[in-house]
Amino acid sequence: MISFRSILRPSRIVDAHCDIPCGIYDPEQARIEAESCLRIIEKHAASDDEHFRARCIGIKEERAELVKHHLDVLWHDYFKPEHLEKYPDLHDTFWKATKQASKVKQSLDAGAAKELLSMIDTVDEMWKATGGLEKTRVNGRPS
Amino acid sequence: MSTGRSALLFLVLISLGLWGARRWIDVVEVRGQSMAPTLLPGDRLIVVRAPGRVADVVLAFDPRDPGRELIKRVTAVDDWGVTLRGDNPSASTDARMFGELPPSSVQWRAVARYWPPGRIGPIEEAVDCPR
């Protein structure tokens, strides 16, 4: 039998669709660049080849810039106002993490790069806790 | 005829009527932002089977993914097809990307919103209908 409620239940979903943004987000992208920074800092310290060391610095600065970019994308595109309610320190976390990325760009301190990694891990926890893994990766992130 | 049997017959007729009516009138739920602010995600609409005229909000199958039914506004109709645009152009994939659709692809027209209760009413004209 058809009830009043079933008459009001939509028969289907229609899409007020938009292809972009792609909706794929993952702090892993920032983490990979930050790991590059750490490894390059270590390689720089272990080398006494002047040219190699100069290249290390150039590459590290480039990678640190990418960390900032990937964090920014997560910050303004993935995270939504309702996430801020759950994590009131969300803005502060991103502000400090992007500042830390600047610090890694400027310095050759492995400790600073490790600190950056742990800050990205904090972002990763927030991303996972808000369903990012299920919602913003295709079939979830490969483990 | 007993009261029980006529009540049953009545119910069967009502059910058949509603089932038949679904071919001409239906209800759908909106997903996505491309029709904002006219339509918001979660809005529920009454749609009727009718061709799209300019300025109507209509349903059409996505030419790139026929499994998906789009809701957009008609901004032009000519002999070759129907041009569909979202009311929220910066967040809409529409005729700007996929071009005109054949007129036959538009079969349903949205006429009113019945949910949420605070926004019950006819579908508004676009504030700034993109042409």
Side-chain angles (χ1 to χ4, degrees):
Chain A
M1 206 198 102
I2 297 175
S3 68
F4 185 63
R5 186 182 281 267
S6 77
I7 291 169
L8 291 181
R9 188 180 306 136
S11 69
R12 58 198 191 272
I13 300 281
V14 292
D15 263 301
H17 177 70
C18 182
D19 278 349
I20 46 175
C22 65
I24 300 295
Y25 303 102
D26 194 332
E28 191 68 11
Q29 223 171 346
R31 197 177 205 283
I32 287 170
E33 303 302 348
E35 286 181 16
S36 282
C37 293
L38 174 60
R39 187 57 53 83
I40 291 165
I41 290 169
E42 288 168 357
K43 283 178 184 282
H44 175 275
S47 169
D48 48 15
D49 177 339
E50 187 191 336
H51 297 294
F52 178 80
R53 283 161 68 98
R55 282 174 56 216
C56 283
I57 289 171
I59 301 233
K60 177 201 55 131
E61 289 179 359
E62 191 180 278
R63 297 305 154 99
E65 196 58 38
L66 284 171
V67 173
K68 285 204 274 187
H69 169 73
H70 292 313
L71 286 175
D72 279 346
V73 169
L74 280 166
W75 190 4
H76 25 83
D77 294 352
Y78 169 71
F79 284 100
K80 306 280 185 306
E82 61 264 31
H83 299 148
L84 188 60
E85 282 166 27
K86 191 173 177 185
Y87 292 102
D89 60 344
L90 185 126
H91 291 333
D92 200 49
T93 304
F94 272 98
W95 187 47
K96 286 183 175 143
T98 43
K99 276 202 163 299
Q100 188 67 22
S102 296
K103 200 167 174 182
V104 170
K105 187 177 171 185
Q106 291 160 13
S107 81
L108 283 164
D109 177 5
K114 285 178 185 158
E115 176 67 20
L116 176 60
L117 286 175
S118 89
M119 288 172 149
I120 293 170
D121 289 343
T122 305
V123 170
D124 189 65
E125 282 162 25
M126 297 195 293
W127 174 77
K128 281 185 181 142
T130 51
L133 183 58
E134 298 77 25
K135 290 180 203 157
T136 70
R137 285 303 303 266
V138 177
N139 299 325
R141 177 161 70 185
S143 50
Chain B
M1 201 187 282
S2 75
T3 319
R5 278 187 65 183
S6 39
L8 188 65
L9 186 65
F10 178 73
L11 281 175
V12 167
L13 284 175
I14 289 278
S15 302
L16 278 174
L18 286 168
W19 175 80
R22 278 268 158 127
R23 298 188 53 205
W24 303 102
I25 182 165
D26 205 354
V27 287
V28 298
E29 181 173 325
V30 177
R31 173 171 63 191
Q33 293 280 358
S34 79
M35 286 299 289
T38 315
L39 303 176
L40 299 176
D43 279 5
R44 292 179 177 193
L45 314 174
I46 297 169
V47 294
V48 297
R49 198 179 271 273
R53 303 161 305 186
V54 171
D56 281 342
V57 172
V58 297
L59 311 187
F61 287 100
D62 188 332
R64 304 153 313 154
D65 176 7
R68 171 162 59 208
E69 206 170 1
L70 301 174
I71 184 160
K72 301 282 174 187
R73 194 180 293 272
V74 179
T75 59
V77 181
D78 59 32
D79 293 344
W80 298 280
V82 179
T83 303
L84 302 181
R85 293 283 193 97
D87 281 3
N88 182 9
S90 65
S92 177
T93 301
D94 50 32
R96 293 170 297 174
M97 289 72 162
F98 53 68
E100 287 185 327
L101 300 186
S104 63
S105 66
V106 174
Q107 307 241 337
W108 293 91
R109 182 190 300 166
V111 291
R113 173 177 37 241
Y114 68 93
W115 193 266
R119 309 205 316 123
I120 288 176
I123 308 295
E124 298 84 353
E125 285 188 13
V127 177
D128 179 20
C129 192
R131 301 275 164 180

